[in-house]
Amino acid sequence: MKESTTTNGFERVLDARLVLSVIAAGIMSFSGVTVETAMNVTFPSLMAEFNITTSTVQWMTTSYLLVLATVVPTSSYLNRRFRTRSVFIAAMAFYIAGIVCGFTAISFPMLLCGRILEGVGTGIALPLMFNIITEQAPKKNMGVMMGIGTLVTAMAPAVGPSVGGWLAENFGWRMIFAALLPVLGVAFVLGVLSIRQSHEVTRDPFDVPGWLAIAASFATLVFAVDLGSSLGWTSPAELSLLAAFAVLLVLFVRREGRADHPLISLAVFSRHRFVMGVVALVCLQFVVLGLSFLIPNYSQLVMGTGETEAGSILLPGCVVGACMAPLSGQILDRFGPRRPILVGAACALLGTALFAALSQSLPTAPAIAIYVCFAFGQSLMVGNTMTESLSFLPPAIKADGNAVINTLQQLAGAIGTSVVTAIVNAAQVGATNMAWATMVGTREAYLLLACVAVVPLASMAWVTARPAQAA
């Protein structure tokens, strides 16, 4: 049913092609998170095979998220400059190259190269999916379509740890990469056949200085966080890295304020409710990625479980979250944002607090139950918070807002993984009882995540305190 048109006459229609195009773009995001969470389960095996430490192996996750954080800021430019289908094909080419590189890796650096290529592909595909939704979905169905987009990526944490753990334990970790190739083939066909062009293409120049400044600033911050536990948080080298991050970020802001064609329009930060929504999403992503690292490693190193059992801890919760994703959008469309978002934030906080309270001894069954609570809250909150946040922006800068949300989410994930890894690694250094040291470090990391989980609830309580006025 036709509802409205865009400035170039494209009619917003909720039909099979729109749904299939969202799924096609989302499968790459699905694959990226699948490999990320699946490889988290194999970290102990990778550490033994390549003779590396916990702080080194976590770069499997951190490098991928860091690349995402440097590629996603280009999404607004790519959306303006190139046809949507061409952007999709380029993203798929990068991602398949990364999968092949990971499958054939004979060293840890080669494995990291594969993750970097995957990060480029996913960094292009993730905002592409949400740009398609915001540009092509009818306004009255926006919550449902955001739910479908969230569903595609929400299924990945369910599939990754459980299936990845089973594949690694029975066939070796390389099969995790091989198993994704048929899925990517299906996504490629769906995307080529279903993706439509909904906006006119412009030939704006690419803001190279702005991109270099933001990429360098993010990289410096992640390195600073990663090296903080080994160098000391007040060491000259650590303080120099943090100062370099601040200087580069200031340079980026000044550059974007003066550029004729900025990489990202900083006007999005003038909308206070949008900013608070971004803060909520960023803090939740910090917690999500921290938990995805801590839970399977705690299960193996402290509770002594195998890779399959450790990976399966996240499965029931992620299945619940995946099933709830489209339903949460319907709840938003019918009842508004306040109730689903605040209930979701409260459940996420409760789950994180329970992990912190029970971390001294947490067998598989109660860990599963707690993660179900957390994932239920996450599913109610993420898509609805993104929909609500973007509603405060005018159409001209929605793509920029989408780029900001996705960029900072990936950066938060990279920092979250680095921070919790640094905490656990600091407890393990010099320990004679690795299980006890891991438990102590994990407990401290859970406490930090519980504190961070308070922020989404508080910020969204403020955002939703009064009825929103759509831009």
Side-chain angles (χ1 to χ4, degrees), residues 133 158 195 238 285 316 347 412 450:
I133 293 172
I195 291 178
E238 179 70 10
Q285 183 76 350
C347 289

Side-chain angles (χ1 to χ4, degrees), residues 189-262:
V189 174
L190 288 178
V192 170
L193 295 178
S194 65
I195 291 178
R196 293 175 288 204
Q197 189 65 29
S198 58
H199 63 273
E200 296 179 358
V201 174
T202 63
R203 295 191 175 274
D204 296 341
F206 182 64
D207 182 16
V208 176
W211 179 78
L212 290 175
I214 194 66
S217 67
F218 287 164
T220 303
L221 178 60
V222 172
F223 274 111
V225 173
D226 183 67
L227 296 175
S229 60
S230 57
L231 296 178
W233 295 102
T234 58
S235 66
E238 179 70 10
L239 294 176
S240 297
L241 286 171
L242 293 174
F245 159 71
V247 170
L248 288 166
L249 190 60
V250 169
L251 289 176
F252 170 74
V253 172
R254 293 187 63 182
R255 167 66 188 179
E256 297 307 281
R258 298 175 178 176
D260 293 330
H261 302 282

Side-chain angles (χ1 to χ4, degrees), residues 361-437:
S361 179
L362 190 59
T364 298
I368 289 174
I370 295 172
Y371 195 74
V372 166
C373 174
F374 176 85
F376 174 80
Q378 178 192 0
S379 67
L380 273 178
M381 185 181 174
V382 174
N384 289 336
T385 299
M386 182 176 291
T387 303
E388 177 71 356
S389 300
L390 290 173
S391 73
F392 300 116
L393 301 179
I397 57 174
K398 280 189 187 291
D400 297 278
N402 185 25
V404 168
I405 289 174
N406 284 286
T407 298
L408 294 182
Q409 277 187 306
Q410 306 314 319
L411 182 63
I415 294 174
T417 304
S418 295
V419 168
V420 299
T421 302
I423 293 172
V424 174
N425 193 56
Q428 290 173 337
V429 172
T432 55
N433 187 333
M434 184 61 68
W436 175 260

Side-chain angles (χ1 to χ4, degrees), residues 31 34-35 38-43 45-46 48-50 60 95-96 98-112 114-115 118 163-182 184 307:
S31 300
T34 296
V35 174
M39 294 305 289
N40 280 349
V41 180
T42 69
F43 279 0
S45 298
L46 293 177
E49 179 173 340
F50 293 115
M60 279 291 293
Y95 197 85
I96 291 178
I99 289 290
V100 173
C101 187
F103 176 70
T104 58
I106 58 175
S107 64
F108 187 70
M110 186 174 177
L111 194 58
L112 281 182
R115 289 301 284 152
E118 293 163 27
V163 176
W166 180 78
L167 287 172
E169 195 165 1
N170 292 280
F171 304 102
W173 56 264
R174 296 177 193 276
M175 287 304 297
I176 294 173
F177 295 99
L180 285 173
L181 286 175
L184 293 171
E307 291 174 322

Side-chain angles (χ1 to χ4, degrees), residues 30-114:
F30 165 89
S31 300
V33 179
T34 296
V35 174
E36 176 188 337
T37 55
M39 294 305 289
N40 280 349
V41 180
T42 69
F43 279 0
S45 298
L46 293 177
M47 290 165 63
E49 179 173 340
F50 293 115
N51 192 28
I52 53 179
T53 64
T54 299
S55 60
T56 300
V57 76
Q58 63 90 20
W59 275 95
M60 279 291 293
T61 298
T62 302
S63 64
Y64 169 77
L65 294 173
L66 180 57
V67 171
L68 280 180
T70 57
V71 172
V72 172
T74 68
S75 63
S76 181
Y77 169 80
L78 295 175
N79 187 57
R80 297 191 303 267
R81 177 64 179 81
F82 300 101
R83 295 183 64 82
T84 306
R85 185 179 292 134
S86 300
V87 174
F88 170 79
I89 293 172
M92 185 65 74
F94 276 109
Y95 197 85
I96 291 178
I99 289 290
V100 173
C101 187
F103 176 70
T104 58
I106 58 175
S107 64
F108 187 70
M110 186 174 177
L111 194 58
L112 281 182
C113 286

